Amino acid sequence: MTPRRRTSLIVLVLVVVGLACIAWYYLLRDVPQHYKSEEDHYKYGSIGVEAASGMPYWIWRALPLVFPEKMPGPDYRSFGFIFEDGHETPVGMPLRTVGFQRIGINCGLCHTGSVRASAEAPRQIVYGAPNTTLDLQRYLRFLFACAGDPRFTADNILTAIRSMHELDWIEQVLYRFVVIPQTRKAILKQAHDLAWMDGIPDWGPGRNSPFNPAKVQILKRHYDGTIDNADIEPLWNWRLRKDFGLHADGLNNSLDEIFLNSGIGNGAGANSIDRASLMRIKHWIFDLKPERYPFAVSRSNSDIVVRGKGIYQAQCAGCHAFGGDKTGTSIPVEMIGTDRYRLESWSQDDADAFDALDGYAWRYTGFRKTSGYVAEALDGIWIRAPYLHNGSVPSLADLLKPPAERPAYFYRGYDVYDPDNVGFVSSGDDAVREGRKFDTRLPGNGNQGHLFGTALGDDDKKALLEYMKTL
Ligand code: HEC
Ligand code: HEC
């Protein structure tokens, strides 16, 4: 080789290596984030979703500017996300730089609740409680509609980004030719994978489909026609929940497996999943206690609470108190009589397919098929409304009524509390405006069954309700 050719070769290699370094820095460089407090970690800590399926933060910020007509309100709050002052992203949506800033999801998104004493009162955040306001499906549909719109172009998105934030010229080139087109493609793929959602009843606020998306996206199967819309469950007191059946039907009882599976199900990759971060959350929720009932409640030694406790111990504790014979186990659906769709959405074949997954650094062994719904411990039950696995009964007072007298429809997603009925306000102008209609006559939304306590006299029901506020 002549010296000249050798020099050109060296220059070429340097240019290629230089470009690769730039691409790595701007697209893939992973900057781990860390929160000192457990609460902040729970709300904003990454579990490794961003690298695999995070959304470019500045595109996320740009969408409401480019597509305001597709939003239910002026900003992302209108989907029911919980925002805290001083944070650009909602609780449960971590920011992490992987090349560029990306926004992900963590467990706190669905497992952090909120409550207000009145429409004017400040919102109190409740760690581990189900998020009753978040309408995730509506948010997904917003993203799908944006990506499907011909106005989702590099020019439009970059103009919106530039109105808020400066990108350097390398970022502009990469956004134009890589990041924006790839984001659009990824959202459209997700829309395609989840297209079946449109043929079945909506999730509505506080609910989602826990396993059907995973069957399509992880097991790579066609949608199987089932409906598994389910209410979010609480994450607290897990030390006391040792060996409980997990999820509505108890389809596994290994908390470790459900943690890993939830991480993957929410978009972490086999390699990007941050197991240390998940373990930190797991340890924290071991001893996390449910928030106490914040409204007036009779003193624990008052006659009414003592009477309520007696009824609870005689008629409910065997299935619902820690230490009860059946607490934490699946009770045959014939005995409970509640809506069967969620139970029937999960088969032995699904359990076997999850146990056979081999693309991870771990194997699942605990998935199984059960014949009913788990009788859960009722700690913090006051803030777990609406009730039953499908969230079909708005309040504890309604759950103690015979099914024919429970509301046939009501509004979910409003977080002002109704201390009289023990649940969230679910009717009236404010609930209609801020919530979404839930119709119990639709498939999967049935409010029948669970007749326990429905035959009690009015005074006994009152006493039982009063006692349950203290759980
Ligand atoms: C998109 C909302 C959403 C996110 C995000 C989410 N979950 Fe859940 N989670 C649910 C729903 C809904 C259920 C109940 C569904 C069912 O079983 O029918 C649930 C149930 C659970 C349960 C079972 C609780 C019980 O009492 O049986 C555990 C454990 C759990 N989630 C852990 C996690 C972890 C860990 C993460 C983060 C990696 C996470 N979840 C993220 C919606 C979510
Ligand atoms: C034989 C066992 C059993 C008995 C006894 C029983 N329950 Fe239940 N309970 C269940 C099961 C199973 C579920 C879950 C059903 C579902 O979600 O479809 C449930 C659900 C509930 C829920 C809803 C929990 C949630 O997070 O949505 C409440 C509240 C409740 N029961 C209260 C009571 C009260 C009060 C009594 C006594 C008057 C009682 N139960 C007696 C088995 C029982």
Side-chain angles (χ1 to χ4, degrees), residues 312 315-316 319-320 326 331 335-336 338 373-376 378 381 384 386-389 396 399-400 450 452-453 464 468:
Y312 189 81
Q315 303 194 18
C316 322
C319 285
H320 288 306
K326 299 197 179 112
I331 311 290
M335 197 174 156
I336 302 297
T338 52
Y373 294 112
V374 175
E376 291 185 53
L378 300 186
I381 194 64
R384 290 157 58 177
Y387 298 100
L388 297 180
H389 71 275
L396 285 183
L399 188 65
L400 292 179
H450 198 282
F452 309 101
L464 185 55
M468 289 176 79

PDB file of all heavy atoms in Angstrom, residues 312 315-316 319-320 326 331 335-336 338 373-376 378 381 384 386-389 396 399-400 450 452-453 464 468, ligand 2:
ATOM      1  N   TYR A 312     -67.844  -8.200  61.099  1.00  0.00           N
ATOM      2  CA  TYR A 312     -66.746  -8.479  60.169  1.00  0.00           C
ATOM      3  C   TYR A 312     -66.065  -9.784  60.541  1.00  0.00           C
ATOM      4  O   TYR A 312     -65.798 -10.629  59.689  1.00  0.00           O
ATOM      5  CB  TYR A 312     -65.751  -7.310  60.209  1.00  0.00           C
ATOM      6  CG  TYR A 312     -64.686  -7.383  59.142  1.00  0.00           C
ATOM      7  CD1 TYR A 312     -64.954  -6.957  57.839  1.00  0.00           C
ATOM      8  CD2 TYR A 312     -63.412  -7.855  59.427  1.00  0.00           C
ATOM      9  CE1 TYR A 312     -63.987  -7.014  56.849  1.00  0.00           C
ATOM     10  CE2 TYR A 312     -62.435  -7.918  58.447  1.00  0.00           C
ATOM     11  CZ  TYR A 312     -62.729  -7.495  57.159  1.00  0.00           C
ATOM     12  OH  TYR A 312     -61.758  -7.555  56.179  1.00  0.00           O
ATOM     13  N   GLN A 315     -68.415 -12.752  59.688  1.00  0.00           N
ATOM     14  CA  GLN A 315     -68.882 -13.005  58.316  1.00  0.00           C
ATOM     15  C   GLN A 315     -67.872 -12.730  57.210  1.00  0.00           C
ATOM     16  O   GLN A 315     -68.100 -13.106  56.071  1.00  0.00           O
ATOM     17  CB  GLN A 315     -70.138 -12.158  58.048  1.00  0.00           C
ATOM     18  CG  GLN A 315     -71.225 -12.440  59.058  1.00  0.00           C
ATOM     19  CD  GLN A 315     -72.573 -11.878  58.614  1.00  0.00           C
ATOM     20  OE1 GLN A 315     -72.788 -11.580  57.456  1.00  0.00           O
ATOM     21  NE2 GLN A 315     -73.485 -11.739  59.560  1.00  0.00           N
ATOM     22  N   CYS A 316     -66.794 -12.046  57.535  1.00  0.00           N
ATOM     23  CA  CYS A 316     -65.886 -11.626  56.454  1.00  0.00           C
ATOM     24  C   CYS A 316     -64.429 -12.047  56.688  1.00  0.00           C
ATOM     25  O   CYS A 316     -63.697 -12.322  55.729  1.00  0.00           O
ATOM     26  CB  CYS A 316     -65.906 -10.106  56.291  1.00  0.00           C
ATOM     27  SG  CYS A 316     -67.523  -9.335  56.497  1.00  0.00           S
ATOM     28  N   CYS A 319     -62.195 -14.826  55.008  1.00  0.00           N
ATOM     29  CA  CYS A 319     -61.737 -14.630  53.621  1.00  0.00           C
ATOM     30  C   CYS A 319     -60.887 -13.371  53.472  1.00  0.00           C
ATOM     31  O   CYS A 319     -60.159 -13.235  52.499  1.00  0.00           O
ATOM     32  CB  CYS A 319     -62.929 -14.520  52.672  1.00  0.00           C
ATOM     33  SG  CYS A 319     -63.736 -16.097  52.332  1.00  0.00           S
ATOM     34  N   HIS A 320     -61.025 -12.410  54.398  1.00  0.00           N
ATOM     35  CA  HIS A 320     -60.435 -11.098  54.118  1.00  0.00           C
ATOM     36  C   HIS A 320     -59.445 -10.558  55.144  1.00  0.00           C
ATOM     37  O   HIS A 320     -58.818  -9.530  54.890  1.00  0.00           O
ATOM     38  CB  HIS A 320     -61.547 -10.059  53.947  1.00  0.00           C
ATOM     39  CG  HIS A 320     -62.318 -10.189  52.664  1.00  0.00           C
ATOM     40  ND1 HIS A 320     -61.705 -10.204  51.430  1.00  0.00           N
ATOM     41  CD2 HIS A 320     -63.652 -10.317  52.424  1.00  0.00           C
ATOM     42  CE1 HIS A 320     -62.637 -10.313  50.485  1.00  0.00           C
ATOM     43  NE2 HIS A 320     -63.818 -10.393  51.057  1.00  0.00           N
ATOM     44  N   LYS A 326     -58.954 -18.488  54.335  1.00  0.00           N
ATOM     45  CA  LYS A 326     -59.017 -18.412  52.868  1.00  0.00           C
ATOM     46  C   LYS A 326     -58.407 -17.133  52.314  1.00  0.00           C
ATOM     47  O   LYS A 326     -58.352 -16.949  51.097  1.00  0.00           O
ATOM     48  CB  LYS A 326     -60.483 -18.476  52.424  1.00  0.00           C
ATOM     49  CG  LYS A 326     -61.175 -19.765  52.838  1.00  0.00           C
ATOM     50  CD  LYS A 326     -62.443 -19.939  52.031  1.00  0.00           C
ATOM     51  CE  LYS A 326     -63.159 -21.221  52.404  1.00  0.00           C
ATOM     52  NZ  LYS A 326     -64.430 -20.961  53.087  1.00  0.00           N
ATOM     53  N   ILE A 331     -61.069 -18.123  45.359  1.00  0.00           N
ATOM     54  CA  ILE A 331     -62.327 -18.751  45.763  1.00  0.00           C
ATOM     55  C   ILE A 331     -63.085 -19.089  44.483  1.00  0.00           C
ATOM     56  O   ILE A 331     -63.221 -18.224  43.611  1.00  0.00           O
ATOM     57  CB  ILE A 331     -63.183 -17.768  46.598  1.00  0.00           C
ATOM     58  CG1 ILE A 331     -62.365 -17.120  47.715  1.00  0.00           C
ATOM     59  CG2 ILE A 331     -64.437 -18.440  47.129  1.00  0.00           C
ATOM     60  CD1 ILE A 331     -61.965 -18.013  48.844  1.00  0.00           C
ATOM     61  N   MET A 335     -68.931 -19.836  43.712  1.00  0.00           N
ATOM     62  CA  MET A 335     -69.285 -19.486  45.072  1.00  0.00           C
ATOM     63  C   MET A 335     -69.432 -17.966  45.237  1.00  0.00           C
ATOM     64  O   MET A 335     -70.215 -17.496  46.052  1.00  0.00           O
ATOM     65  CB  MET A 335     -68.164 -19.990  45.978  1.00  0.00           C
ATOM     66  CG  MET A 335     -68.529 -20.073  47.397  1.00  0.00           C
ATOM     67  SD  MET A 335     -67.143 -20.861  48.237  1.00  0.00           S
ATOM     68  CE  MET A 335     -67.461 -20.192  49.843  1.00  0.00           C
ATOM     69  N   ILE A 336     -68.682 -17.208  44.450  1.00  0.00           N
ATOM     70  CA  ILE A 336     -68.702 -15.747  44.588  1.00  0.00           C
ATOM     71  C   ILE A 336     -69.710 -15.123  43.632  1.00  0.00           C
ATOM     72  O   ILE A 336     -70.372 -14.151  43.956  1.00  0.00           O
ATOM     73  CB  ILE A 336     -67.291 -15.161  44.298  1.00  0.00           C
ATOM     74  CG1 ILE A 336     -66.275 -15.778  45.249  1.00  0.00           C
ATOM     75  CG2 ILE A 336     -67.269 -13.642  44.416  1.00  0.00           C
ATOM     76  CD1 ILE A 336     -66.527 -15.479  46.709  1.00  0.00           C
ATOM     77  N   THR A 338     -69.313 -13.424  40.853  1.00  0.00           N
ATOM     78  CA  THR A 338     -69.019 -12.155  40.185  1.00  0.00           C
ATOM     79  C   THR A 338     -68.739 -12.401  38.698  1.00  0.00           C
ATOM     80  O   THR A 338     -68.675 -13.546  38.252  1.00  0.00           O
ATOM     81  CB  THR A 338     -67.818 -11.449  40.862  1.00  0.00           C
ATOM     82  OG1 THR A 338     -66.735 -12.373  40.939  1.00  0.00           O
ATOM     83  CG2 THR A 338     -68.171 -10.985  42.268  1.00  0.00           C
ATOM     84  N   TYR A 373     -61.690 -16.014  41.900  1.00  0.00           N
ATOM     85  CA  TYR A 373     -61.034 -14.749  42.221  1.00  0.00           C
ATOM     86  C   TYR A 373     -60.458 -14.793  43.632  1.00  0.00           C
ATOM     87  O   TYR A 373     -61.000 -15.453  44.531  1.00  0.00           O
ATOM     88  CB  TYR A 373     -62.014 -13.589  42.085  1.00  0.00           C
ATOM     89  CG  TYR A 373     -62.446 -13.374  40.655  1.00  0.00           C
ATOM     90  CD1 TYR A 373     -63.757 -13.616  40.250  1.00  0.00           C
ATOM     91  CD2 TYR A 373     -61.526 -12.948  39.700  1.00  0.00           C
ATOM     92  CE1 TYR A 373     -64.151 -13.430  38.926  1.00  0.00           C
ATOM     93  CE2 TYR A 373     -61.907 -12.769  38.378  1.00  0.00           C
ATOM     94  CZ  TYR A 373     -63.217 -13.014  37.993  1.00  0.00           C
ATOM     95  OH  TYR A 373     -63.591 -12.836  36.676  1.00  0.00           O
ATOM     96  N   VAL A 374     -59.360 -14.051  43.815  1.00  0.00           N
ATOM     97  CA  VAL A 374     -58.678 -14.038  45.108  1.00  0.00           C
ATOM     98  C   VAL A 374     -59.484 -13.228  46.128  1.00  0.00           C
ATOM     99  O   VAL A 374     -59.958 -12.134  45.827  1.00  0.00           O
ATOM    100  CB  VAL A 374     -57.266 -13.424  44.979  1.00  0.00           C
ATOM    101  CG1 VAL A 374     -56.598 -13.294  46.350  1.00  0.00           C
ATOM    102  CG2 VAL A 374     -56.408 -14.248  44.040  1.00  0.00           C
ATOM    103  N   ALA A 375     -59.637 -13.793  47.313  1.00  0.00           N
ATOM    104  CA  ALA A 375     -60.206 -13.059  48.443  1.00  0.00           C
ATOM    105  C   ALA A 375     -59.048 -12.268  49.044  1.00  0.00           C
ATOM    106  O   ALA A 375     -58.203 -12.812  49.743  1.00  0.00           O
ATOM    107  CB  ALA A 375     -60.799 -14.027  49.460  1.00  0.00           C
ATOM    108  N   GLU A 376     -58.993 -10.976  48.722  1.00  0.00           N
ATOM    109  CA  GLU A 376     -57.854 -10.168  49.125  1.00  0.00           C
ATOM    110  C   GLU A 376     -57.985  -9.667  50.557  1.00  0.00           C
ATOM    111  O   GLU A 376     -59.092  -9.500  51.054  1.00  0.00           O
ATOM    112  CB  GLU A 376     -57.769  -8.935  48.230  1.00  0.00           C
ATOM    113  CG  GLU A 376     -57.382  -9.229  46.810  1.00  0.00           C
ATOM    114  CD  GLU A 376     -57.208  -7.926  46.058  1.00  0.00           C
ATOM    115  OE1 GLU A 376     -56.450  -7.069  46.545  1.00  0.00           O
ATOM    116  OE2 GLU A 376     -57.849  -7.774  45.018  1.00  0.00           O
ATOM    117  N   LEU A 378     -58.259  -6.757  53.092  1.00  0.00           N
ATOM    118  CA  LEU A 378     -58.957  -5.493  52.838  1.00  0.00           C
ATOM    119  C   LEU A 378     -58.308  -4.284  53.515  1.00  0.00           C
ATOM    120  O   LEU A 378     -58.969  -3.289  53.783  1.00  0.00           O
ATOM    121  CB  LEU A 378     -60.429  -5.611  53.253  1.00  0.00           C
ATOM    122  CG  LEU A 378     -61.255  -6.683  52.530  1.00  0.00           C
ATOM    123  CD1 LEU A 378     -62.736  -6.592  52.918  1.00  0.00           C
ATOM    124  CD2 LEU A 378     -61.112  -6.597  51.014  1.00  0.00           C
ATOM    125  N   ILE A 381     -58.989  -0.486  52.499  1.00  0.00           N
ATOM    126  CA  ILE A 381     -60.073  -0.721  51.528  1.00  0.00           C
ATOM    127  C   ILE A 381     -60.809   0.569  51.166  1.00  0.00           C
ATOM    128  O   ILE A 381     -61.355   0.687  50.069  1.00  0.00           O
ATOM    129  CB  ILE A 381     -61.050  -1.816  52.042  1.00  0.00           C
ATOM    130  CG1 ILE A 381     -61.963  -2.302  50.917  1.00  0.00           C
ATOM    131  CG2 ILE A 381     -61.849  -1.355  53.244  1.00  0.00           C
ATOM    132  CD1 ILE A 381     -61.270  -2.994  49.792  1.00  0.00           C
ATOM    133  N   ARG A 384     -59.685   1.913  47.865  1.00  0.00           N
ATOM    134  CA  ARG A 384     -59.572   0.976  46.742  1.00  0.00           C
ATOM    135  C   ARG A 384     -60.827   0.950  45.873  1.00  0.00           C
ATOM    136  O   ARG A 384     -60.971   0.102  45.000  1.00  0.00           O
ATOM    137  CB  ARG A 384     -59.221  -0.408  47.280  1.00  0.00           C
ATOM    138  CG  ARG A 384     -57.797  -0.446  47.826  1.00  0.00           C
ATOM    139  CD  ARG A 384     -57.540  -1.539  48.833  1.00  0.00           C
ATOM    140  NE  ARG A 384     -57.812  -2.861  48.317  1.00  0.00           N
ATOM    141  CZ  ARG A 384     -57.602  -3.985  48.992  1.00  0.00           C
ATOM    142  NH1 ARG A 384     -57.090  -3.913  50.243  1.00  0.00           N
ATOM    143  NH2 ARG A 384     -57.866  -5.144  48.469  1.00  0.00           N
ATOM    144  N   PRO A 386     -63.455   2.065  42.889  1.00  0.00           N
ATOM    145  CA  PRO A 386     -64.621   1.192  42.938  1.00  0.00           C
ATOM    146  C   PRO A 386     -64.223  -0.264  43.219  1.00  0.00           C
ATOM    147  O   PRO A 386     -63.075  -0.638  43.024  1.00  0.00           O
ATOM    148  CB  PRO A 386     -65.236   1.328  41.549  1.00  0.00           C
ATOM    149  CG  PRO A 386     -64.734   2.637  41.034  1.00  0.00           C
ATOM    150  CD  PRO A 386     -63.349   2.758  41.606  1.00  0.00           C
ATOM    151  N   TYR A 387     -65.197  -1.060  43.635  1.00  0.00           N
ATOM    152  CA  TYR A 387     -64.903  -2.394  44.165  1.00  0.00           C
ATOM    153  C   TYR A 387     -65.166  -3.535  43.194  1.00  0.00           C
ATOM    154  O   TYR A 387     -65.833  -3.371  42.183  1.00  0.00           O
ATOM    155  CB  TYR A 387     -65.655  -2.580  45.485  1.00  0.00           C
ATOM    156  CG  TYR A 387     -65.180  -1.550  46.491  1.00  0.00           C
ATOM    157  CD1 TYR A 387     -65.914  -0.397  46.751  1.00  0.00           C
ATOM    158  CD2 TYR A 387     -63.929  -1.684  47.100  1.00  0.00           C
ATOM    159  CE1 TYR A 387     -65.436   0.575  47.627  1.00  0.00           C
ATOM    160  CE2 TYR A 387     -63.438  -0.710  47.976  1.00  0.00           C
ATOM    161  CZ  TYR A 387     -64.201   0.408  48.229  1.00  0.00           C
ATOM    162  OH  TYR A 387     -63.715   1.367  49.077  1.00  0.00           O
ATOM    163  N   LEU A 388     -64.660  -4.671  43.592  1.00  0.00           N
ATOM    164  CA  LEU A 388     -64.608  -5.942  42.842  1.00  0.00           C
ATOM    165  C   LEU A 388     -63.507  -5.867  41.775  1.00  0.00           C
ATOM    166  O   LEU A 388     -63.014  -4.781  41.437  1.00  0.00           O
ATOM    167  CB  LEU A 388     -65.949  -6.322  42.232  1.00  0.00           C
ATOM    168  CG  LEU A 388     -67.072  -6.577  43.275  1.00  0.00           C
ATOM    169  CD1 LEU A 388     -68.373  -6.958  42.584  1.00  0.00           C
ATOM    170  CD2 LEU A 388     -66.664  -7.650  44.299  1.00  0.00           C
ATOM    171  N   HIS A 389     -63.135  -7.036  41.262  1.00  0.00           N
ATOM    172  CA  HIS A 389     -61.943  -7.101  40.392  1.00  0.00           C
ATOM    173  C   HIS A 389     -62.102  -6.243  39.132  1.00  0.00           C
ATOM    174  O   HIS A 389     -61.109  -5.829  38.547  1.00  0.00           O
ATOM    175  CB  HIS A 389     -61.674  -8.556  39.986  1.00  0.00           C
ATOM    176  CG  HIS A 389     -62.687  -9.082  39.020  1.00  0.00           C
ATOM    177  ND1 HIS A 389     -63.878  -9.626  39.427  1.00  0.00           N
ATOM    178  CD2 HIS A 389     -62.712  -9.071  37.673  1.00  0.00           C
ATOM    179  CE1 HIS A 389     -64.586  -9.951  38.355  1.00  0.00           C
ATOM    180  NE2 HIS A 389     -63.903  -9.634  37.282  1.00  0.00           N
ATOM    181  N   LEU A 396     -68.531   1.021  49.080  1.00  0.00           N
ATOM    182  CA  LEU A 396     -68.777  -0.111  49.989  1.00  0.00           C
ATOM    183  C   LEU A 396     -70.256  -0.199  50.331  1.00  0.00           C
ATOM    184  O   LEU A 396     -70.807  -1.294  50.465  1.00  0.00           O
ATOM    185  CB  LEU A 396     -67.943   0.034  51.265  1.00  0.00           C
ATOM    186  CG  LEU A 396     -66.450  -0.266  51.142  1.00  0.00           C
ATOM    187  CD1 LEU A 396     -65.782  -0.144  52.510  1.00  0.00           C
ATOM    188  CD2 LEU A 396     -66.198  -1.644  50.552  1.00  0.00           C
ATOM    189  N   LEU A 399     -71.785  -2.106  47.644  1.00  0.00           N
ATOM    190  CA  LEU A 399     -71.412  -3.532  47.642  1.00  0.00           C
ATOM    191  C   LEU A 399     -72.246  -4.315  48.659  1.00  0.00           C
ATOM    192  O   LEU A 399     -72.475  -5.512  48.504  1.00  0.00           O
ATOM    193  CB  LEU A 399     -69.912  -3.687  47.953  1.00  0.00           C
ATOM    194  CG  LEU A 399     -69.342  -5.099  47.798  1.00  0.00           C
ATOM    195  CD1 LEU A 399     -69.400  -5.557  46.329  1.00  0.00           C
ATOM    196  CD2 LEU A 399     -67.907  -5.174  48.305  1.00  0.00           C
ATOM    197  N   LEU A 400     -72.698  -3.625  49.702  1.00  0.00           N
ATOM    198  CA  LEU A 400     -73.525  -4.309  50.702  1.00  0.00           C
ATOM    199  C   LEU A 400     -74.998  -4.355  50.301  1.00  0.00           C
ATOM    200  O   LEU A 400     -75.844  -4.832  51.060  1.00  0.00           O
ATOM    201  CB  LEU A 400     -73.358  -3.638  52.078  1.00  0.00           C
ATOM    202  CG  LEU A 400     -71.971  -3.791  52.724  1.00  0.00           C
ATOM    203  CD1 LEU A 400     -71.906  -3.059  54.064  1.00  0.00           C
ATOM    204  CD2 LEU A 400     -71.594  -5.263  52.917  1.00  0.00           C
ATOM    205  N   HIS A 450     -71.032 -11.681  44.910  1.00  0.00           N
ATOM    206  CA  HIS A 450     -70.549 -11.274  46.225  1.00  0.00           C
ATOM    207  C   HIS A 450     -71.710 -10.780  47.093  1.00  0.00           C
ATOM    208  O   HIS A 450     -71.846  -9.579  47.368  1.00  0.00           O
ATOM    209  CB  HIS A 450     -69.449 -10.208  46.128  1.00  0.00           C
ATOM    210  CG  HIS A 450     -68.657 -10.092  47.406  1.00  0.00           C
ATOM    211  ND1 HIS A 450     -69.140  -9.424  48.508  1.00  0.00           N
ATOM    212  CD2 HIS A 450     -67.459 -10.586  47.786  1.00  0.00           C
ATOM    213  CE1 HIS A 450     -68.263  -9.485  49.487  1.00  0.00           C
ATOM    214  NE2 HIS A 450     -67.224 -10.198  49.078  1.00  0.00           N
ATOM    215  N   PHE A 452     -72.209 -11.449  50.202  1.00  0.00           N
ATOM    216  CA  PHE A 452     -71.896 -11.378  51.632  1.00  0.00           C
ATOM    217  C   PHE A 452     -72.300 -10.020  52.199  1.00  0.00           C
ATOM    218  O   PHE A 452     -71.972  -8.980  51.642  1.00  0.00           O
ATOM    219  CB  PHE A 452     -70.403 -11.617  51.873  1.00  0.00           C
ATOM    220  CG  PHE A 452     -69.911 -12.860  51.193  1.00  0.00           C
ATOM    221  CD1 PHE A 452     -69.217 -12.790  49.994  1.00  0.00           C
ATOM    222  CD2 PHE A 452     -70.203 -14.114  51.729  1.00  0.00           C
ATOM    223  CE1 PHE A 452     -68.792 -13.935  49.349  1.00  0.00           C
ATOM    224  CE2 PHE A 452     -69.777 -15.270  51.074  1.00  0.00           C
ATOM    225  CZ  PHE A 452     -69.079 -15.181  49.882  1.00  0.00           C
ATOM    226  N   GLY A 453     -73.005 -10.053  53.302  1.00  0.00           N
ATOM    227  CA  GLY A 453     -73.374  -8.809  53.978  1.00  0.00           C
ATOM    228  C   GLY A 453     -74.603  -8.126  53.397  1.00  0.00           C
ATOM    229  O   GLY A 453     -75.117  -7.179  53.988  1.00  0.00           O
ATOM    230  N   LEU A 464     -70.857  -2.045  60.076  1.00  0.00           N
ATOM    231  CA  LEU A 464     -69.820  -2.713  59.297  1.00  0.00           C
ATOM    232  C   LEU A 464     -69.025  -1.684  58.473  1.00  0.00           C
ATOM    233  O   LEU A 464     -67.792  -1.718  58.423  1.00  0.00           O
ATOM    234  CB  LEU A 464     -70.478  -3.752  58.382  1.00  0.00           C
ATOM    235  CG  LEU A 464     -69.568  -4.661  57.558  1.00  0.00           C
ATOM    236  CD1 LEU A 464     -68.571  -5.397  58.433  1.00  0.00           C
ATOM    237  CD2 LEU A 464     -70.407  -5.671  56.753  1.00  0.00           C
ATOM    238  N   MET A 468     -65.087  -0.801  58.631  1.00  0.00           N
ATOM    239  CA  MET A 468     -64.216  -0.985  57.466  1.00  0.00           C
ATOM    240  C   MET A 468     -63.405   0.269  57.131  1.00  0.00           C
ATOM    241  O   MET A 468     -62.358   0.180  56.492  1.00  0.00           O
ATOM    242  CB  MET A 468     -65.024  -1.469  56.259  1.00  0.00           C
ATOM    243  CG  MET A 468     -65.470  -2.921  56.460  1.00  0.00           C
ATOM    244  SD  MET A 468     -66.529  -3.522  55.150  1.00  0.00           S
ATOM    245  CE  MET A 468     -65.326  -3.883  53.901  1.00  0.00           C
TER     246      MET A 468
HETATM  247  C1  HEC B   2     -65.979 -16.997  50.955  1.00  0.00           C
HETATM  248  C2  HEC B   2     -65.076 -15.906  50.992  1.00  0.00           C
HETATM  249  C3  HEC B   2     -65.606 -14.504  51.178  1.00  0.00           C
HETATM  250  C4  HEC B   2     -66.380 -14.010  52.219  1.00  0.00           C
HETATM  251  C5  HEC B   2     -66.937 -14.757  53.379  1.00  0.00           C
HETATM  252  C6  HEC B   2     -66.478 -12.597  51.985  1.00  0.00           C
HETATM  253  N1  HEC B   2     -65.835 -12.246  50.832  1.00  0.00           N
HETATM  254 FE1  HEC B   2     -65.527 -10.388  50.144  1.00  0.00          FE
HETATM  255  N2  HEC B   2     -64.600 -11.139  48.523  1.00  0.00           N
HETATM  256  C7  HEC B   2     -64.355 -12.464  48.273  1.00  0.00           C
HETATM  257  C8  HEC B   2     -63.783 -12.601  46.957  1.00  0.00           C
HETATM  258  C9  HEC B   2     -63.356 -13.898  46.298  1.00  0.00           C
HETATM  259  C10 HEC B   2     -63.702 -11.325  46.418  1.00  0.00           C
HETATM  260  C11 HEC B   2     -63.212 -10.932  45.018  1.00  0.00           C
HETATM  261  C12 HEC B   2     -64.397 -11.001  44.059  1.00  0.00           C
HETATM  262  C13 HEC B   2     -64.186 -10.285  42.767  1.00  0.00           C
HETATM  263  O1  HEC B   2     -63.410  -9.335  42.748  1.00  0.00           O
HETATM  264  O2  HEC B   2     -64.805 -10.652  41.776  1.00  0.00           O
HETATM  265  C14 HEC B   2     -64.197 -10.415  47.431  1.00  0.00           C
HETATM  266  C15 HEC B   2     -64.221  -9.035  47.297  1.00  0.00           C
HETATM  267  C16 HEC B   2     -64.558  -8.172  48.318  1.00  0.00           C
HETATM  268  C17 HEC B   2     -64.389  -6.752  48.274  1.00  0.00           C
HETATM  269  C18 HEC B   2     -63.779  -5.948  47.118  1.00  0.00           C
HETATM  270  C19 HEC B   2     -62.286  -5.838  47.266  1.00  0.00           C
HETATM  271  C20 HEC B   2     -61.685  -4.902  46.254  1.00  0.00           C
HETATM  272  O3  HEC B   2     -60.516  -4.565  46.405  1.00  0.00           O
HETATM  273  O4  HEC B   2     -62.361  -4.512  45.314  1.00  0.00           O
HETATM  274  C21 HEC B   2     -64.869  -6.245  49.456  1.00  0.00           C
HETATM  275  C22 HEC B   2     -64.878  -4.792  49.875  1.00  0.00           C
HETATM  276  C23 HEC B   2     -65.355  -7.361  50.221  1.00  0.00           C
HETATM  277  N3  HEC B   2     -65.132  -8.518  49.507  1.00  0.00           N
HETATM  278  C24 HEC B   2     -65.970  -7.251  51.445  1.00  0.00           C
HETATM  279  C25 HEC B   2     -66.506  -8.319  52.125  1.00  0.00           C
HETATM  280  C26 HEC B   2     -67.275  -8.185  53.327  1.00  0.00           C
HETATM  281  C27 HEC B   2     -67.611  -6.874  53.993  1.00  0.00           C
HETATM  282  C28 HEC B   2     -67.624  -9.443  53.711  1.00  0.00           C
HETATM  283  C29 HEC B   2     -68.442  -9.845  54.906  1.00  0.00           C
HETATM  284  C30 HEC B   2     -69.739  -9.250  55.015  1.00  0.00           C
HETATM  285  C31 HEC B   2     -67.064 -10.366  52.753  1.00  0.00           C
HETATM  286  N4  HEC B   2     -66.416  -9.635  51.795  1.00  0.00           N
HETATM  287  C32 HEC B   2     -67.144 -11.717  52.814  1.00  0.00           C
HETATM  288  C33 HEC B   2     -64.586 -13.491  49.142  1.00  0.00           C
HETATM  289  C34 HEC B   2     -65.298 -13.389  50.312  1.00  0.00           C
END
